[in-house]
Amino acid sequence: MTGTAQLQTYDFAGGEYNFAYLDEQTKRMIRRAILKGIAIPGYQVPFASREMPMPYGWGTGGVQVTASILGKDDCLKMIDQGSDDTTNAVSLRGFFEKTAGVRTTYETSEATIVQTRHRIPEKPLREDQIIVFQVPIPEPLRFLEPRETETRKMHALEDYGLMHVKLYEDIAKNGHIATTYAYPVKVNGRYVMDPSPTPKFDNPKIDRMAALQLYGAGREKRIYAIPPYTDVKSLDFEDYPFEVQKFDMPCGLCGAENVYLDEVILDDKGGRMFVCSDSDYCEERRAEGHTGPMAADPAAVHIGGGKQEETDR
Amino acid sequence: MKAFQSEDPLLQVRNVTRYYGDRIGCANVSFDLWPGEVLAIVGESGSGKTTLLNCLSTRLAPTAGAIEYRMRDGAMRNLYQLSEAERRLLMRTDWGFVHQNAADGLRMNVSAGANVGERLMAVGERHYGNIRATADDWLGRVEIESDRIDDDPRSFSGGMRQRLQIARNLVTQPRLVFMDEPTGGLDVSVQARLLDLLRRLVADLGLSVVIVTHDLAVARLLSHRIMVMRHGNVIETGLTDQVLDDPREPYSQLLVSSILQV
């Protein structure tokens, strides 16, 4: 994280960016919101979200949080739907490479800051790591109660009956809790929180995670946080307890079980395979010699890619 | 119907006044309501009935006056000195509010079962099977078939919606229910059925009810006592039969004589 809070001089005419794009005053404002968020786990702290040079929906909230906590020595990993090399991840990684010049990586264990969209890495995070989530809609009650004044009051009074109405509806309509992502959780026994559109498969990872979790919603102008080792409970019913998705086959490439899998369509004849959504995890396993049932398939070789390019600067 | 169950009033209203700027909504209304008693507030449109009801149900703060309610522990508490959290808890456990337009009192985009179960979940019920069984039981009590439990209220007729709203309010066994023209906008045969149902539920559960209506027939069927309002003031109050059969004030006489006879 940056050491100095004083204004740095930078030269617009020369086309120079301030370190990590945002000016120091803005970073300071965002850090204050982050600190408040850490102090009240799960509480949505309003902040003066800035216009970023990318559209809303690309992760402007996460980018602002990352920019505020980033230091010159940090090593950054960007995840989009578990993968390091899809559009969103590539663009945002490029953004920070250009504006901050920090080291970036594909490897979860090497990163000090992981910014993610939709997934939490399979490999457990450590105390010296921070994970930043990009959040589209921070308010878990939003689709049940459209009024912001009312939802704030509901949070203040811990009036969360409505959240269970949604889960009740799920069971009534589908026979089980059909919410599979953005699955509501109760943080530290107090605030109900939306863990951003991560699959509920990742909810157990949020509970008592060693790393600090920061959530940024740029368009909605909210920041919230879960400090390390905080209890996070997924909401459920006594007779319909929370459970995560299960896959009846291992990863086609690396053979990993109990990980979150993506379906990949191979051709237009019904050919498909399931592979690890966390691409770094999958590659690491393959490098260690694990192979899945479809690893030799020519289509799989294409999907799995050749050797990973060197991204470290 | 069940007679008054206790010597102590459930609700004590003293000099409740509500101004809208210079205009009077209701002025100097005082009354006591006893457990098990049904009080009808009647009067023409604009007479301050709904303003008064909103003041009583903490939906609208009165300009002056005091409203005290006997909590379940027996202590009288001033409603407007309760904290917001206490007031909310009161509204979803000990009280009910039946709106004239059922859509105002229901969640139109969740199923009937969830509508009835919402209050249970709000007070901490976390067992799906129990919630559903209770909801089913209550739908039965308000004459909605079990196979409609997973349907949206949008697919319900006006009368069914109103009955669903009543079930949703009564599921936590409230002691006091406010009703704002519960039969308004329903055709007469549906009205008659709803009134029948209400009368039975009120008697069975020993509810206290404050009901606002402009329909004297509704007042006659449901209420023990009547308050006649005009221009924001209570002009006459007494037992229902007494007021309707032998109105004292000229305005009450006018009101009673304006009922159409068929």
Side-chain angles (χ1 to χ4, degrees), chain A residues 57-286:
Chain A
W58 275 61
T60 53
V63 166
Q64 288 178 75
V65 169
T66 300
S68 306
I69 61 172
L70 198 63
K72 286 195 162 58
D73 302 330
D74 275 314
C75 180
L76 191 62
K77 172 180 164 76
M78 283 284 177
I79 310 175
D80 171 15
Q81 316 263 10
S83 171
D84 290 278
D85 46 16
T86 43
T87 315
N88 191 286
V90 170
S91 306
L92 295 188
R93 191 185 311 115
F95 175 78
F96 280 114
E97 280 169 355
K98 178 167 184 186
T99 60
V102 291
R103 219 152 50 86
T104 60
T105 180
Y106 278 22
E107 280 169 43
T108 304
S109 48
E110 207 193 326
T112 55
I113 297 175
V114 179
Q115 182 177 329
T116 181
R117 174 171 187 260
H118 295 222
R119 277 312 307 282
I120 298 171
E122 302 291 355
K123 190 181 283 182
L125 296 175
R126 301 182 311 262
E127 284 175 9
D128 60 343
Q129 295 178 305
I130 298 176
I131 183 163
V132 178
F133 294 80
Q134 304 168 196
V135 181
I137 296 164
E139 179 52 72
L141 302 160
R142 176 61 67 239
F143 290 108
L144 303 154
E145 174 53 65
R147 287 169 296 176
E148 174 70 17
T149 48
E150 184 62 21
T151 53
R152 281 210 208 184
K153 205 172 268 180
M154 290 162 85
H155 282 297
L157 299 173
E158 238 179 306
D159 189 356
Y160 291 133
L162 206 50
M163 211 67 248
H164 274 86
V165 170
K166 180 177 184 291
L167 300 180
Y168 172 98
E169 277 294 278
D170 261 7
I171 302 174
K173 296 231 155 79
N174 306 296
H176 59 100
I177 298 178
T179 303
T180 52
Y181 66 96
Y183 192 101
V185 293
K186 195 164 210 177
V187 181
N188 205 22
R190 177 59 181 85
Y191 282 97
V192 165
M193 189 198 91
D194 181 348
S196 90
T198 50
K200 69 177 171 184
F201 184 88
D202 286 341
N203 273 20
K205 294 180 190 154
I206 302 175
D207 183 27
R208 301 195 61 76
M209 185 192 270
L212 171 65
Q213 304 170 57
L214 303 174
Y215 295 77
R219 179 177 45 209
E220 303 288 326
K221 302 180 169 51
R222 295 288 184 278
I223 284 173
Y224 48 105
I226 303 179
Y229 302 112
T230 303
D231 287 326
V232 179
K233 190 185 174 309
S234 303
L235 300 182
D236 58 5
F237 285 103
E238 289 159 13
D239 45 346
Y240 285 85
F242 171 79
E243 50 189 28
V244 299
Q245 293 101 323
K246 289 195 177 61
F247 299 89
D248 37 12
M249 57 181 76
C251 167
L253 294 177
C254 75
E257 291 179 32
N258 300 319
V259 293
Y260 194 75
L261 301 180
D262 281 340
E263 182 183 5
V264 180
I265 306 290
L266 298 177
D267 52 37
D268 57 359
K269 300 179 190 72
R272 57 190 191 149
M273 67 187 297
F274 287 87
V275 295
C276 288
S277 142
D278 185 341
S279 57
D280 168 59
Y281 183 76
C282 195
E283 270 161 27
E284 195 176 302
R285 275 181 60 85
R286 273 181 284 151

